Amino acid sequence: MSKANQNTTTYRNLSKRDVVNVKTKSPNLNFKFLHLMHSKDLEYLHTTQRKHNCGYFTDLEEFIYEFSCFSTLEKAIQEYTSKNGSKISKNKNSYVKNLIKKFKAIDTEDSNKLIGKSNELRELEHMHLKKGGKGAFVIFGITYENSFYVLDMNPEHDFD
């Protein structure tokens, strides 16, 4: 295997048993707010996976791997959203309203950067873990620069 240059990061996909070098400019998923949201986080995902005896973590691992292989954040989001897009009305959806309320309550320097000066949260988006907006497993987040900040994971798509 050839050496990776300074502009790449090496990822190992354990479920597929391969290694890939990804450009550091590739889009990234950022989970820094997930725990602070006190929402559907990794602990919830673990409990739900055990309850339903399914492979949510395997799906998430595969999604993270494939997401990081895209050249831009926009291409990655487009690939994992339904034909109707990834935006959900924050005025009509109670699940989304609750996520926004929780995020605004965090009040850290990083979260305030995502909210902006007008105290209006950047557009909340969601992606399915299967390409083309397929599958029930959905993650919610905010895009900023080349990152998708994950705020919530909903493996059963149980929001209205």
Side-chain angles (χ1 to χ4, degrees):
M1 186 167 127
S2 64
K3 276 188 168 180
N5 67 28
Q6 292 177 332
N7 297 327
T8 63
T9 302
T10 301
Y11 290 95
R12 297 186 190 282
N13 185 338
L14 298 177
S15 63
K16 290 188 177 183
R17 297 179 185 213
D18 59 359
V19 175
V20 65
N21 291 319
V22 179
K23 293 178 185 174
T24 54
K25 297 278 185 190
S26 66
N28 68 72
L29 292 165
N30 191 315
F31 292 89
K32 74 187 319 176
F33 299 113
L34 187 61
H35 178 70
L36 297 173
M37 289 289 291
H38 303 290
S39 189
K40 294 184 177 177
D41 57 9
L42 294 173
E43 184 177 337
Y44 173 83
L45 189 63
H46 174 70
T47 304
T48 307
Q49 177 173 288
R50 289 188 66 187
K51 179 180 173 185
H52 296 290
N53 195 26
C54 57
Y56 291 141
F57 278 100
T58 303
D59 292 345
L60 182 60
E61 178 190 38
E62 187 174 319
F63 170 77
I64 292 169
Y65 168 77
E66 290 177 1
F67 189 89
S68 67
C69 293
F70 284 92
S71 59
T72 67
L73 181 61
E74 292 77 23
K75 286 181 183 177
I77 291 172
Q78 184 179 25
E79 190 70 31
Y80 286 96
T81 57
S82 69
K83 61 183 178 195
N84 299 328
S86 68
K87 297 185 176 35
I88 299 173
S89 173
K90 61 184 172 188
N91 298 325
K92 296 178 183 175
N93 191 297
S94 60
Y95 191 89
V96 171
K97 281 182 188 179
N98 191 35
L99 284 177
I100 292 170
K101 183 178 176 181
K102 285 180 180 181
F103 186 72
K104 284 185 173 184
I106 291 174
D107 195 27
T108 66
E109 185 178 325
D110 288 336
S111 66
N112 290 333
K113 176 175 59 175
L114 296 179
I115 293 172
K117 294 177 184 174
S118 65
N119 201 29
E120 273 298 310
L121 186 65
R122 295 176 187 279
E123 196 69 46
L124 188 67
E125 302 186 58
H126 80 283
M127 291 184 287
H128 295 257
L129 264 61
K130 301 291 182 189
K131 289 183 179 179
K134 306 248 188 278
F137 197 152
V138 175
I139 60 172
F140 290 89
I142 301 168
T143 59
Y144 184 74
E145 294 178 348
N146 204 33
S147 295
F148 185 87
Y149 290 87
V150 178
L151 303 181
D152 186 71
M153 293 187 288
N154 194 317
E156 299 173 311
H157 204 291
D158 59 2
F159 57 94
D160 51 0

